[in-house]
Amino acid sequence: GDKVKQSPSALSLQEGTNSALRCNFSIAATTVQWFLQNPRGSLINLFYLVPGTKENGRLKSTFNSKESYSTLHIRDAQLEDSGTYFCAAEAGDYQGGRALIFGTGTTVSVSP
Amino acid sequence: EAAVTQSPRNKVAVTGGKVTLSCNQTNNHNNMYWYRQDTGHGLRLIHYSYGAGSTEKGDIPDGYKASRPSQENFSLILELATPSQTSVYFCASGGTGGAPAEQFFGPGTRLTVL
């Protein structure tokens, strides 16, 4: 919740357009993961990031630990990109060991 | 690719009954976790484990126990289920010690307590 803030909470995209999702951290995040929760409810791993940038097909993600944020860029959105995107951070001082602290998600809907 | 399985996938229980949710991972990860997902809250940590025989409380442990009898298996136990425990429960594994590591999630168990 408050320790990891995701924005926007919902996003409607036309096929072929680009967009960006953002997470801001009020904790000392050391690593970040991005997931897509599909309509069946499964959490699909998209990215695992130490500070830096990774790219996979039409998706690109950056984690900036000094400025406490991470972004997920979707390029050329397709219908199969629809779902809820979660970011989650690991923090060195978290009492949950190496557990992840989740944001509340961004629901993305891609239409033709 | 990491493999985490959960059983059952769906469960209906009665208030006051005992419920056991099971998780198995085949990746030899030391660390395993139980989370629950509720609308508006994302996923929240219930219990976690550093290895066989170890269980630790997460952020919302009240009403839950955990058991880690082996490296591969991690169970979540609701001794006296209540309707407020109706939720989707996810198990995850990741890492072999104190270093950061990617976590992999099971498919989830949908629990309804009537």
Side-chain angles (χ1 to χ4, degrees), chain A residues 82-96:
Chain A
S82 296
T84 301
Y85 291 79
F86 288 97
C87 71
E90 185 176 350
D93 57 354
Y94 176 42
Q95 68 91 27

Side-chain angles (χ1 to χ4, degrees), chain A residues 1 3 30-31 33 35 37 40-43 45-48 86 90 94-105, chain B residues 1 9 31 33 35 37 40-45 48 50 57-59 90 97-107:
Chain A
K3 296 182 176 123
T30 51
T31 66
Q33 284 190 241
F35 301 89
Q37 188 165 40
R40 292 187 63 190
S42 295
L43 287 164
N45 288 37
L46 298 176
F47 292 103
Y48 173 69
F86 288 97
E90 185 176 350
Y94 176 42
Q95 68 91 27
R98 292 291 174 190
L100 293 171
I101 304 165
F102 279 78
T104 51
Chain B
E1 181 74 17
R9 294 294 312 279
N31 302 333
Y33 309 87
Y35 300 85
Q37 183 179 25
H41 286 282
L43 277 74
R44 293 179 291 171
L45 181 67
Y48 62 102
Y50 291 119
K57 293 180 179 179
D59 292 330
F90 287 94
E102 187 173 7
Q103 286 188 29
F104 297 89
F105 282 75

Side-chain angles (χ1 to χ4, degrees), chain A:
Chain A
D2 291 336
K3 296 182 176 123
V4 177
K5 282 197 138 176
Q6 279 189 251
S7 61
S9 57
L11 191 57
S12 293
L13 298 175
Q14 292 279 98
E15 263 189 312
T17 60
N18 306 331
S19 191
L21 286 60
R22 186 174 173 105
C23 277
N24 289 310
F25 308 114
S26 60
I27 51 173
T30 51
T31 66
V32 172
Q33 284 190 241
W34 282 91
F35 301 89
L36 170 60
Q37 188 165 40
N38 65 18
R40 292 187 63 190
S42 295
L43 287 164
I44 300 165
N45 288 37
L46 298 176
F47 292 103
Y48 173 69
L49 298 156
V50 294
T53 297
K54 285 188 177 179
E55 197 162 352
N56 184 3
R58 296 178 294 100
L59 300 179
K60 179 179 176 181
S61 185
T62 295
F63 169 37
N64 185 322
S65 58
K66 290 181 181 172
E67 297 184 23
S68 298
Y69 75 88
S70 180
T71 55
L72 177 68
H73 291 263
I74 303 173
R75 176 175 54 81
D76 184 26
Q78 301 296 306
L79 297 177
E80 60 264 29
D81 295 332
S82 296
T84 301
Y85 291 79
F86 288 97
C87 71
E90 185 176 350
D93 57 354
Y94 176 42
Q95 68 91 27
R98 292 291 174 190
L100 293 171
I101 304 165
F102 279 78
T104 51
T106 296
T107 299
V108 173
S109 176
V110 182
S111 55

Side-chain angles (χ1 to χ4, degrees), chain B residues 58-98:
Chain B
D59 292 330
I60 52 166
D62 292 347
Y64 303 94
K65 288 171 51 178
S67 173
R68 183 86 181 272
S70 66
Q71 180 80 337
E72 297 79 19
N73 295 296
F74 189 35
S75 296
L76 186 69
I77 302 149
L78 291 66
E79 295 277 7
L80 293 168
T82 68
S84 64
Q85 293 176 312
T86 293
S87 188
V88 180
Y89 291 85
F90 287 94
C91 174
S93 77
T96 56

